Amino acid sequence: MRLDKYLTSLGIGSRSQVKELVKKGKVKINDKIVNRPEIHIEETKDHVSLNGLDLNYHKFYYYMMNKPAGVLTAVSDFQYRTVLDLMDVMPKKGLFPVGRLDKDTEGLLLITNDGELSHMLLSPGRHVAKKYYVELDGTLKQEYVTYFKEGFDIGLKADTKPAILEILSENQAYVTITEGKYHQVKRMFQHFGLKVTYLKRVRMGPLQLDENLKPGEYRALRPEEVSSLLKCKKDCEE
Ligand code: URA
């Protein structure tokens, strides 16, 4: 079958869109970039990949983005730019961000079309750990570490679940939480009269933010990152 026809049959895009992708060098056959859309492939033997993702074996796509501030964590919005607006990938239909970061928050965002994985990562019962780097407008005290460990009232029905506060300097810290209530990290510090001036997620479950990604950049997950996440479908508590 012709390569462009094969890519179109997988729903990657229209014939002209897939031709463009091939010409841009985004498609590899058996690990070699091909530039001719009309080339013939053996669908059952040749390994075709697009943007580094093996099309023969994947019905799901997984990307990590370093979300920039000023962009909404949403698929689309009438008013603001969304994280999906920043992505130029094929196929794009069906992709969505897993969980939500505030508009002014930066850092790790998983973007996928795997609804089951997303459900599992966000399920409150799974206690998936999320780690944030935080800067504050005031001074951290050592005693807060115990509060974070034991939980406290931030105006919700229940106290916060045990969290880890690692103080890095008088106004910088890492915080690891296993829940994801609205503005949770900001509200936790607000409890002590502190305002979060910068917030960046650096980890979600087994997935670590790739520090080579500048805000707004993204990349496909590596096979080992995907498998560490998929293992989470069974057990992701940390
Ligand atoms: N907690 C917050 O307050 N904001 C975020 O974006 C994520 C966690």
Side-chain angles (χ1 to χ4, degrees):
M1 188 191 284
R2 277 174 64 123
L3 176 61
D4 51 2
K5 187 162 182 225
Y6 174 70
L7 294 172
T8 312
S9 74
L10 292 177
I12 305 293
S14 66
R15 193 62 86 89
S16 58
Q17 284 173 320
V18 301
K19 279 185 176 163
E20 195 58 30
L21 287 170
V22 176
K23 285 182 183 156
K24 279 189 186 158
K26 305 272 185 195
V27 177
K28 285 184 186 172
I29 298 178
N30 303 326
D31 278 335
K32 283 207 185 91
I33 292 178
V34 285
N35 297 101
R36 293 191 300 125
E38 69 281 6
I39 203 168
H40 277 259
I41 57 151
E42 288 269 355
E43 305 97 86
T44 50
K45 288 198 194 128
D46 290 323
H47 282 182
V48 184
S49 65
L50 169 65
N51 290 325
L53 289 172
D54 194 336
L55 294 177
N56 304 58
Y57 299 109
H58 287 274
K59 68 173 176 178
F60 293 125
Y61 299 90
Y62 305 92
Y63 298 93
M64 75 157 76
M65 176 182 283
N66 183 357
K67 178 196 170 294
V71 170
L72 280 193
T73 307
V75 173
S76 60
D77 189 81
F78 289 114
Q79 206 178 351
Y80 297 107
R81 251 182 351 147
T82 70
V83 287
L84 262 296
D85 291 335
L86 302 181
M87 295 186 75
D88 179 19
V89 292
M90 286 277 194
K92 189 164 167 180
K93 197 160 172 253
L95 292 179
F96 59 87
V98 175
R100 193 172 281 268
L101 292 176
D102 296 338
K103 191 159 168 252
D104 58 353
T105 301
E106 290 186 3
L108 178 63
L109 197 59
L110 173 64
I111 295 172
T112 182
N113 58 346
D114 185 343
E116 193 193 338
L117 177 72
S118 165
H119 181 74
M120 186 285 308
L121 287 169
L122 299 178
S123 157
R126 294 289 193 125
H127 307 129
V128 174
K130 280 142 307 215
K131 184 170 179 179
Y132 295 86
Y133 167 75
V134 193
E135 291 178 6
L136 301 142
D137 72 343
T139 303
L140 286 158
K141 296 192 182 135
Q142 201 54 41
E143 70 201 53
Y144 300 161
V145 174
T146 314
Y147 279 88
F148 274 67
K149 197 168 158 194
E150 291 175 356
F152 52 93
D153 182 7
I154 56 166
L156 299 168
K157 269 190 224 141
D159 280 359
T160 52
K161 298 235 157 56
I164 303 167
L165 174 66
E166 296 166 71
I167 298 177
L168 302 172
S169 77
E170 68 165 28
N171 67 340
Q172 294 170 299
Y174 282 123
V175 183
T176 306
I177 56 174
T178 59
E179 38 185 0
K181 299 280 166 24
Y182 184 62
H183 291 336
Q184 171 136 1
V185 173
K186 290 174 184 164
R187 286 161 80 178
M188 286 172 98
F189 286 102
Q190 213 172 8
H191 176 86
F192 302 100
L194 295 174
K195 188 171 179 296
V196 171
T197 53
Y198 178 76
L199 185 60
K200 175 180 175 179
R201 183 157 65 193
V202 293
R203 185 165 74 84
M204 184 178 193
L207 195 61
Q208 198 89 30
L209 177 66
D210 181 341
E211 292 290 348
N212 294 316
L213 293 176
K214 298 192 185 78
E217 290 184 344
Y218 57 89
R219 67 160 168 82
L221 290 194
R222 302 192 176 106
E224 62 275 17
E225 291 169 329
V226 174
S227 41
S228 72
L229 277 177
L230 297 184
K231 267 193 217 135
C232 259
K233 281 189 181 175
K234 290 205 187 90
D235 182 14
C236 201
E237 287 195 25
E238 289 180 43

